[in-house]
Amino acid sequence: MAHTYKHISIVIPAFNPDYKLIDMIEELSAEDFQAIIIVNDGSGEAYDPIFAVVRKYPTCTVLTHTINQGKGKALKTAFSYYSENYPDGTGVITADADGQHTPSDIKKVAAELAEQPSKLILGVRDFSTEDMPLRSRFGNVLTKGVVKAASGMKITDTQTGLRGISKGFAEQLLNVSGDRYEFEMKMILACKTYHREIKEVTIDTIYIDNNESSHFNPVIDSIKIYYVFLRFLFSSLASFVVDVGLFALFSTLLKALMPMGFILLATVLARVLSSLFNYFLNRNIVFRSYAYTKHTLTKYYTLAVIQMGASAGGVYILYHSIGAHEVWIKIGVDSFLFLLSFYIQRSWVFKQGTAYVVKEVKDH
């Protein structure tokens, strides 16, 4: 099926690679791939002979970072080069340089990409085997939880470097933040933003020297992945504090003037001001930039109005049932609504707006 790959290229980010990279290139060069793009991500001078060898293959191009910039940046460098130089391309297959991805599995993912170019193709490993290194098992469990909580997507292998990416999606991914391993996680989450389906292809599970060559740190790199969600949590909590503070202020000022209606008015005033505060935090800090601004703003305030009514109604009913402690009642009601709002904003309000700028690109 050599003809299957004639519009598909291979992308390999490489940092301090060994002879296994040469073996991989030698075998892949015998196939009918459009091109093989290797990114030397700031490897030391001792590795120059390896890159010199792979440069000799006619279909192989080596791009160089003078200093190590991270796997995400290396992938973006390759995506940009591919977009500019192969306008008729279908897409790319990303593979690691350490020998964990066999040429047969690379071809398997390439064949799937040729059949379904609009999807992100993931070459997934079997994590149930007993010889799976602990750091890989732990890292995958952790990042699977992040993906599930953030998007609702259930992914078998979130850390796999073997992926089939259409040319259009590769160009969109140039707008996704992250220069190191967190970029691969954000690539999966970007499927939600750009309405891309994910197709999983089972591949061999290969670990060399207990995966010691991997530069992925499951704790540090997972913290980087969590960062965008921590920002969202901070924004929500900050707005919650502002809302409660304003409610306490307004209820104190209004209680003597209108003893029967001060809770409703104080809730409305506090929610209007705190929602403006929250919206600008989400737009400028949490999500930073996104498409469909007016559409998102409309959904945001639709939710805000419904939540405000639920807050006012809940506090009003409980206050007149208990007869006191309106601030503590407010905290309890809005704590529940906060959790509900987090889910709704994640899955509906900002479904099309994330930390990425949407760029309309058609797949070839």
Side-chain angles (χ1 to χ4, degrees):
M1 295 180 64
H3 65 280
T4 303
Y5 318 129
K6 64 181 180 179
H7 293 298
I8 294 176
S9 295
I10 307 296
V11 166
I12 304 175
F15 176 61
N16 295 345
D18 59 18
Y19 66 90
K20 291 187 287 291
L21 175 61
I22 298 176
D23 294 341
M24 179 190 297
I25 298 304
E26 182 177 7
E27 191 165 347
L28 290 173
S29 295
E31 302 294 337
D32 192 25
F33 286 106
Q34 188 173 30
I36 301 174
I37 304 168
I38 300 172
V39 181
N40 175 5
D41 188 28
S43 300
E45 292 182 2
Y47 300 90
D48 287 347
I50 293 176
F51 291 107
V53 171
V54 298
R55 277 192 179 94
K56 295 179 180 179
Y57 290 90
T59 59
C60 193
T61 297
V62 178
L63 309 176
T64 302
H65 291 167
T66 55
I67 60 173
N68 178 256
Q69 298 185 48
K71 188 176 184 180
K73 184 64 174 179
L75 289 173
K76 290 178 185 178
T77 294
F79 294 166
S80 180
Y81 177 86
Y82 177 75
S83 176
E84 293 174 4
N85 291 276
Y86 299 95
D88 63 334
T90 297
V92 300
I93 307 301
T94 64
D96 294 341
D98 57 6
Q100 290 192 34
H101 301 139
T102 65
S104 61
D105 281 335
I106 291 174
K107 290 187 289 183
K108 184 188 296 186
V109 173
E112 197 66 42
L113 179 64
E115 290 294 324
Q116 304 185 74
S118 65
K119 297 182 180 180
L120 172 64
I121 313 300
L122 298 180
V124 300
R125 299 159 292 178
D126 182 2
F127 282 83
S128 64
T129 58
E130 294 182 358
D131 59 345
M132 176 66 63
L134 178 60
R135 71 195 297 246
S136 297
R137 192 190 304 273
F138 170 72
N140 189 62
V141 169
L142 186 61
T143 53
K144 277 173 63 175
V146 175
V147 171
K148 181 67 175 178
S151 65
M153 295 187 293
K154 187 177 181 179
I155 306 298
T156 302
D157 185 355
T158 58
Q159 297 174 242
T160 178
L162 182 54
R163 305 179 178 199
I165 306 167
S166 70
K167 180 175 181 289
F169 193 30
E171 291 171 340
Q172 290 172 328
L173 290 172
L174 294 174
N175 298 302
V176 174
S177 62
D179 290 338
R180 298 193 178 273
Y181 280 96
E182 74 273 14
F183 175 73
E184 289 187 307
M185 172 67 79
K186 291 184 177 182
M187 182 189 301
I188 294 174
L189 296 177
C191 289
K192 198 80 169 180
T193 303
Y194 296 111
H195 308 291
R196 301 269 179 181
E197 293 184 23
I198 294 176
K199 170 69 176 180
E200 295 187 345
V201 176
T202 303
I203 62 173
D204 291 336
T205 304
I206 300 174
Y207 284 105
I208 301 169
D209 299 328
N210 201 37
N211 203 28
E212 291 300 323
S213 64
S214 175
H215 303 287
F216 178 82
N217 185 304
V219 176
I220 295 176
D221 288 296
S222 295
I223 289 173
K224 293 178 182 177
I225 294 166
Y226 273 114
Y227 184 51
V228 65
F229 308 112
L230 293 176
R231 291 202 307 265
F232 185 91
L233 181 61
F234 168 78
S235 169
S236 299
L237 289 174
S239 302
F240 174 72
V241 171
V242 169
D243 189 47
V244 172
L246 289 173
F247 175 81
L249 174 64
F250 289 136
S251 62
T252 299
L253 296 174
L254 296 172
K255 183 183 291 186
L257 297 175
M258 42 190 313
M260 294 300 296
F262 78 95
I263 289 179
L264 179 62
L265 184 56
T267 298
V268 171
L269 291 175
R271 185 53 49 85
V272 168
L273 294 177
S274 65
S275 67
L276 282 171
F277 175 75
N278 181 253
Y279 177 78
F280 284 108
L281 274 184
N282 286 348
R283 189 184 71 176
N284 298 321
I285 297 177
V286 178
F287 301 101
R288 293 182 176 172
S289 61
Y290 51 83
Y292 314 114
T293 302
K294 292 182 180 179
H295 186 53
T296 303
L297 185 62
T298 300
K299 290 194 292 184
Y300 178 88
Y301 276 101
T302 298
L303 174 64
V305 169
I306 294 173
Q307 189 173 347
M308 180 175 64
S311 176
V315 174
Y316 182 86
I317 292 172
L318 290 174
Y319 173 78
H320 285 287
S321 298
I322 299 174
H325 309 298
E326 65 273 8
V327 174
W328 289 108
I329 292 173
K330 168 75 170 176
I331 292 174
V333 170
D334 281 1
S335 292
F336 169 76
L337 293 175
F338 161 74
L339 296 175
L340 185 62
S341 175
F342 180 87
Y343 173 79
I344 295 174
Q345 288 195 46
R346 182 199 70 192
S347 59
W348 181 60
V349 176
F350 293 107
K351 181 179 180 180
Q352 299 183 56
T354 65
Y356 324 126
V357 179
V358 174
K359 178 181 178 183
E360 294 296 333
V361 182
K362 294 182 178 180
D363 290 324
H364 293 266

